[in-house]
Amino acid sequence: MLRKNNPSATWRLAAPSCVWPETAAVNCRRLARSVDEVGLYLLELKSCLAYGPDDLPQKDFGLRYHLHLPLDLPWRHGGDAAFFAMEELLAKTARLSPWAMVLHPPDSLAALEAFLGALADAGGDPTAVLLENTEDFSPADVLDMAGAAGCGVCLDLGHLLAMGHDLPTAEPELARRARMLHVYSPFGAEGPPPGRRHTHRTLSCLSPEGRDRLTWMLANLRPESVVVEVFAPVPFLESLHVLRALTEGRPVPAACPEGA
Protein backbone atom coordinates (compact mmCIF):
# COMPACT_ATOMS: atom_id res chain seq x y z
CA MET A 1 0.00 0.00 0.00
CA LEU A 2 1.36 3.40 -0.92
CA ARG A 3 1.78 5.93 1.84
CA LYS A 4 1.98 9.68 1.54
CA ASN A 5 5.55 10.81 0.78
CA ASN A 6 6.76 7.29 1.62
CA PRO A 7 5.85 4.88 -1.18
CA SER A 8 7.97 2.00 0.16
CA ALA A 9 6.09 1.82 3.46
CA THR A 10 3.25 -0.53 4.36
CA TRP A 11 2.32 1.51 7.43
CA ARG A 12 0.64 4.89 7.71
CA LEU A 13 2.91 7.85 8.26
CA ALA A 14 1.64 9.87 11.21
CA ALA A 15 2.38 13.07 13.10
CA PRO A 16 1.45 14.56 16.47
CA SER A 17 -1.12 17.36 16.50
CA CYS A 18 1.40 19.83 17.96
CA VAL A 19 4.14 20.27 15.35
CA TRP A 20 3.31 23.98 14.96
CA PRO A 21 2.54 26.19 18.00
CA GLU A 22 -1.07 26.41 16.85
CA THR A 23 -4.31 24.60 17.66
CA ALA A 24 -4.74 20.95 16.79
CA ALA A 25 -7.19 22.05 14.11
CA VAL A 26 -4.57 24.21 12.38
CA ASN A 27 -1.94 21.50 12.72
CA CYS A 28 -4.19 18.87 11.16
CA ARG A 29 -4.97 21.09 8.18
CA ARG A 30 -1.27 21.70 7.55
CA LEU A 31 -0.17 18.12 8.24
CA ALA A 32 -2.65 16.66 5.76
CA ARG A 33 -0.18 17.62 3.00
CA SER A 34 2.54 15.39 4.45
CA VAL A 35 1.07 12.50 6.43
CA ASP A 36 -1.75 9.97 6.38
CA GLU A 37 -2.64 10.18 10.07
CA VAL A 38 -2.52 12.54 13.03
CA GLY A 39 -2.38 11.68 16.70
CA LEU A 40 -4.47 14.10 18.72
CA TYR A 41 -2.17 14.74 21.68
CA LEU A 42 -4.51 15.29 24.62
CA LEU A 43 -1.69 15.33 27.14
CA GLU A 44 -3.05 17.60 29.89
CA LEU A 45 -6.43 16.55 31.23
CA LYS A 46 -7.81 19.87 32.46
CA SER A 47 -6.76 22.00 29.48
CA CYS A 48 -7.94 19.42 26.94
CA LEU A 49 -11.32 19.06 28.62
CA ALA A 50 -11.64 22.83 28.13
CA TYR A 51 -11.12 22.61 24.34
CA GLY A 52 -13.78 24.40 22.35
CA PRO A 53 -14.97 23.86 18.76
CA ASP A 54 -12.06 25.86 17.30
CA ASP A 55 -9.36 23.82 19.02
CA LEU A 56 -10.03 20.39 17.48
CA PRO A 57 -10.57 19.71 13.77
CA GLN A 58 -14.19 19.88 12.64
CA LYS A 59 -13.53 17.69 9.60
CA ASP A 60 -11.12 14.87 8.95
CA PHE A 61 -9.01 16.59 6.21
CA GLY A 62 -8.66 13.14 4.62
CA LEU A 63 -6.67 11.97 7.65
CA ARG A 64 -7.00 8.99 9.93
CA TYR A 65 -6.80 9.81 13.65
CA HIS A 66 -5.73 8.30 16.94
CA LEU A 67 -5.59 9.75 20.44
CA HIS A 68 -2.74 10.13 22.90
CA LEU A 69 -4.51 10.12 26.26
CA PRO A 70 -3.58 12.51 29.10
CA LEU A 71 -0.42 11.96 31.10
CA ASP A 72 -2.03 13.18 34.33
CA LEU A 73 -4.99 10.82 34.72
CA PRO A 74 -6.02 10.35 38.39
CA TRP A 75 -4.85 6.74 38.70
CA ARG A 76 -4.55 7.14 42.48
CA HIS A 77 -8.35 6.95 42.61
CA GLY A 78 -8.49 3.75 40.55
CA GLY A 79 -8.65 2.79 36.91
CA ASP A 80 -12.37 3.40 36.57
CA ALA A 81 -11.95 6.93 37.97
CA ALA A 82 -9.10 7.54 35.52
CA PHE A 83 -11.40 6.55 32.66
CA PHE A 84 -14.37 8.63 33.82
CA ALA A 85 -12.09 11.69 34.20
CA MET A 86 -11.21 11.62 30.49
CA GLU A 87 -14.38 10.10 29.02
CA GLU A 88 -15.55 13.50 27.74
CA LEU A 89 -12.47 13.61 25.49
CA LEU A 90 -13.83 10.58 23.65
CA ALA A 91 -17.06 12.47 23.01
CA LYS A 92 -15.17 15.55 21.80
CA THR A 93 -13.22 13.50 19.24
CA ALA A 94 -15.84 10.88 18.29
CA ARG A 95 -16.67 12.57 14.96
CA LEU A 96 -13.10 11.84 13.82
CA SER A 97 -13.43 8.08 14.54
CA PRO A 98 -10.00 7.62 16.16
CA TRP A 99 -8.84 4.03 15.70
CA ALA A 100 -6.53 3.80 18.73
CA MET A 101 -5.73 5.39 22.10
CA VAL A 102 -2.12 5.56 23.29
CA LEU A 103 -1.85 5.28 27.07
CA HIS A 104 1.07 5.57 29.47
CA PRO A 105 0.59 2.56 31.74
CA PRO A 106 -0.54 2.83 35.35
CA ASP A 107 1.43 1.31 38.19
CA SER A 108 -0.67 -1.84 38.40
CA LEU A 109 -2.39 -4.34 36.14
CA ALA A 110 -5.52 -4.04 38.29
CA ALA A 111 -5.78 -0.32 37.55
CA LEU A 112 -5.37 -0.95 33.82
CA GLU A 113 -8.00 -3.70 33.84
CA ALA A 114 -10.44 -1.41 35.66
CA PHE A 115 -9.80 1.33 33.08
CA LEU A 116 -10.40 -1.09 30.20
CA GLY A 117 -13.51 -2.44 31.90
CA ALA A 118 -14.98 1.06 32.22
CA LEU A 119 -14.13 1.70 28.57
CA ALA A 120 -15.92 -1.50 27.53
CA ASP A 121 -18.96 -0.62 29.67
CA ALA A 122 -19.11 2.73 27.86
CA GLY A 123 -19.19 0.98 24.47
CA GLY A 124 -15.49 1.34 23.66
CA ASP A 125 -13.04 -1.27 22.44
CA PRO A 126 -10.31 -2.21 24.95
CA THR A 127 -8.15 -3.66 22.17
CA ALA A 128 -7.87 -0.11 20.76
CA VAL A 129 -5.79 0.91 23.80
CA LEU A 130 -2.04 0.84 23.09
CA LEU A 131 0.32 0.89 26.07
CA GLU A 132 3.45 2.96 25.50
CA ASN A 133 6.83 2.18 27.01
CA THR A 134 8.06 5.10 29.09
CA GLU A 135 11.00 6.07 31.26
CA ASP A 136 9.56 3.84 33.99
CA PHE A 137 8.15 0.97 31.89
CA SER A 138 10.39 -0.92 29.47
CA PRO A 139 9.08 -2.46 26.25
CA ALA A 140 9.17 -5.85 28.00
CA ASP A 141 7.10 -4.42 30.88
CA VAL A 142 4.38 -3.03 28.63
CA LEU A 143 4.35 -6.15 26.47
CA ASP A 144 3.69 -8.28 29.55
CA MET A 145 1.01 -5.91 30.85
CA ALA A 146 -0.69 -5.58 27.46
CA GLY A 147 -0.70 -9.34 27.00
CA ALA A 148 -2.31 -9.86 30.40
CA ALA A 149 -4.93 -7.16 29.79
CA GLY A 150 -5.62 -7.94 26.12
CA CYS A 151 -4.63 -4.61 24.61
CA GLY A 152 -1.91 -3.45 22.21
CA VAL A 153 1.50 -1.78 22.43
CA CYS A 154 2.97 1.48 21.13
CA LEU A 155 6.76 1.20 21.02
CA ASP A 156 8.54 4.49 21.75
CA LEU A 157 12.05 4.45 20.27
CA GLY A 158 13.18 7.55 22.15
CA HIS A 159 12.28 6.23 25.59
CA LEU A 160 13.89 2.90 24.73
CA LEU A 161 17.19 4.49 23.71
CA ALA A 162 17.29 7.11 26.46
CA MET A 163 16.76 4.56 29.23
CA GLY A 164 18.92 1.83 27.70
CA HIS A 165 16.00 -0.60 27.70
CA ASP A 166 16.21 -3.83 25.74
CA LEU A 167 13.82 -4.60 22.89
CA PRO A 168 12.36 -8.11 23.38
CA THR A 169 13.04 -9.16 19.79
CA ALA A 170 12.75 -12.88 20.59
CA GLU A 171 9.25 -12.48 22.02
CA PRO A 172 6.69 -13.65 19.41
CA GLU A 173 3.98 -11.44 20.94
CA LEU A 174 5.95 -8.30 20.04
CA ALA A 175 5.03 -8.27 16.35
CA ARG A 176 1.38 -9.00 17.10
CA ARG A 177 0.90 -6.36 19.77
CA ALA A 178 3.17 -3.54 18.50
CA ARG A 179 0.58 -1.68 16.44
CA MET A 180 2.28 1.73 16.52
CA LEU A 181 5.79 3.19 16.72
CA HIS A 182 6.84 6.59 18.07
CA VAL A 183 10.13 7.57 16.45
CA TYR A 184 12.55 10.41 17.24
CA SER A 185 16.03 10.85 18.69
CA PRO A 186 16.01 11.24 22.48
CA PHE A 187 18.94 13.69 22.38
CA GLY A 188 21.68 14.93 20.12
CA ALA A 189 25.39 14.19 20.05
CA GLU A 190 25.81 16.09 23.32
CA GLY A 191 23.82 13.45 25.20
CA PRO A 192 20.94 14.02 27.65
CA PRO A 193 20.46 17.69 28.58
CA PRO A 194 21.00 18.64 32.25
CA GLY A 195 17.94 18.06 34.38
CA ARG A 196 16.09 15.99 31.78
CA ARG A 197 16.36 12.38 30.77
CA HIS A 198 15.67 13.08 27.12
CA THR A 199 13.95 15.36 24.63
CA HIS A 200 12.44 14.93 21.15
CA ARG A 201 15.02 15.64 18.43
CA THR A 202 15.06 15.14 14.68
CA LEU A 203 15.73 11.63 13.40
CA SER A 204 19.01 12.83 11.89
CA CYS A 205 20.30 12.96 15.48
CA LEU A 206 19.89 9.21 15.97
CA SER A 207 23.02 7.33 16.99
CA PRO A 208 24.11 4.33 14.87
CA GLU A 209 22.51 2.11 17.53
CA GLY A 210 19.29 4.09 17.24
CA ARG A 211 19.21 3.74 13.47
CA ASP A 212 19.82 0.02 13.77
CA ARG A 213 16.94 -0.32 16.25
CA LEU A 214 14.60 1.70 14.06
CA THR A 215 15.58 -0.25 10.93
CA TRP A 216 14.91 -3.51 12.77
CA MET A 217 11.49 -2.31 13.95
CA LEU A 218 10.43 -1.25 10.47
CA ALA A 219 11.61 -4.54 8.94
CA ASN A 220 10.35 -6.98 11.57
CA LEU A 221 7.22 -5.50 13.10
CA ARG A 222 3.88 -4.80 11.47
CA PRO A 223 2.81 -1.43 12.87
CA GLU A 224 -0.30 0.17 11.49
CA SER A 225 1.17 3.63 12.04
CA VAL A 226 4.59 5.19 12.56
CA VAL A 227 4.42 8.54 14.35
CA VAL A 228 7.30 10.97 13.83
CA GLU A 229 7.11 12.40 17.35
CA VAL A 230 8.96 15.68 16.74
CA PHE A 231 7.36 18.93 17.84
CA ALA A 232 8.86 21.65 15.61
CA PRO A 233 8.25 22.15 11.87
CA VAL A 234 11.77 22.05 10.40
CA PRO A 235 13.04 19.09 12.47
CA PHE A 236 9.76 17.29 11.78
CA LEU A 237 10.04 17.71 8.01
CA GLU A 238 13.71 16.71 8.13
CA SER A 239 12.73 13.60 10.07
CA LEU A 240 10.29 12.62 7.32
CA HIS A 241 13.18 12.60 4.83
CA VAL A 242 15.35 10.52 7.17
CA LEU A 243 12.56 8.01 7.76
CA ARG A 244 11.94 7.66 4.05
CA ALA A 245 15.65 7.07 3.37
CA LEU A 246 15.85 4.40 6.07
CA THR A 247 12.72 2.72 4.71
CA GLU A 248 14.16 2.65 1.20
CA GLY A 249 17.54 1.35 2.37
CA ARG A 250 19.41 4.50 1.37
CA PRO A 251 22.28 5.88 3.47
CA VAL A 252 21.47 8.73 5.79
CA PRO A 253 24.24 11.23 6.65
CA ALA A 254 25.15 11.21 10.32
CA ALA A 255 24.37 14.83 11.09
CA CYS A 256 22.53 16.48 13.94
CA PRO A 257 21.87 20.18 13.33
CA GLU A 258 22.49 22.39 16.32
CA GLY A 259 19.25 23.07 18.14
CA ALA A 260 17.34 20.41 16.14
Side-chain angles (χ1 to χ4, degrees):
M1 179 180 290
L2 297 181
R3 299 304 187 196
K4 193 171 294 184
N5 289 346
N6 202 354
S8 299
T10 58
W11 29 264
R12 289 177 174 84
L13 184 61
S17 61
C18 43
V19 174
W20 282 270
E22 304 279 357
T23 64
V26 171
N27 271 267
C28 291
R29 175 172 55 79
R30 292 178 177 176
L31 288 165
R33 298 190 290 265
S34 302
V35 299
D36 310 288
E37 178 174 327
V38 167
L40 297 173
Y41 273 44
L42 309 172
L43 302 184
E44 296 178 347
L45 181 61
K46 184 176 180 180
S47 60
C48 292
L49 286 172
Y51 278 169
D54 294 332
D55 294 305
L56 293 169
Q58 297 298 306
K59 59 181 181 178
D60 62 22
F61 297 110
L63 295 163
R64 189 170 79 153
Y65 289 91
H66 67 268
L67 309 180
H68 193 309
L69 297 181
L71 306 180
D72 55 352
L73 294 175
W75 292 109
R76 65 189 179 280
H77 298 306
D80 50 353
F83 172 77
F84 296 138
M86 52 72 61
E87 186 177 12
E88 186 181 338
L89 296 177
L90 302 186
K92 286 178 178 286
T93 57
R95 65 180 177 276
L96 300 171
S97 302
W99 72 274
M101 293 172 277
V102 176
L103 178 68
H104 283 200
D107 289 336
S108 72
L109 177 60
L112 175 62
E113 290 177 333
F115 180 94
L116 297 177
L119 172 63
D121 290 343
D125 179 7
T127 66
V129 173
L130 309 183
L131 295 186
E132 180 182 352
N133 61 293
T134 64
E135 294 175 344
D136 300 316
F137 290 85
S138 72
D141 293 334
V142 297
L143 187 62
D144 288 345
M145 185 178 283
C151 55
V153 165
C154 170
L155 284 178
D156 187 295
L157 177 68
H159 280 127
L160 183 154
L161 295 172
M163 304 309 298
H165 290 151
D166 290 329
L167 187 63
T169 55
E171 174 54 63
E173 279 284 283
L174 184 65
R176 188 167 78 86
R177 296 202 180 273
R179 301 174 64 191
M180 184 183 296
L181 304 181
H182 285 176
V183 301
Y184 57 95
S185 179
F187 34 72
E190 77 285 355
R196 292 184 59 183
R197 295 189 180 183
H198 80 289
T199 185
H200 289 243
R201 305 286 285 270
T202 170
L203 284 175
S204 66
C205 291
L206 278 176
S207 64
E209 175 198 9
R211 294 186 187 192
D212 288 346
R213 290 290 183 92
L214 176 54
T215 300
W216 187 93
M217 288 177 174
L218 296 174
N220 291 276
L221 304 179
R222 297 186 296 274
E224 296 184 40
S225 302
V226 175
V227 185
V228 178
E229 203 175 46
V230 177
F231 306 126
V234 173
F236 171 78
L237 294 172
E238 179 183 73
S239 295
L240 295 186
H241 292 299
V242 172
L243 184 60
R244 182 171 184 174
L246 288 173
T247 303
E248 296 174 351
R250 294 187 284 108
V252 180
C256 183
E258 184 176 353

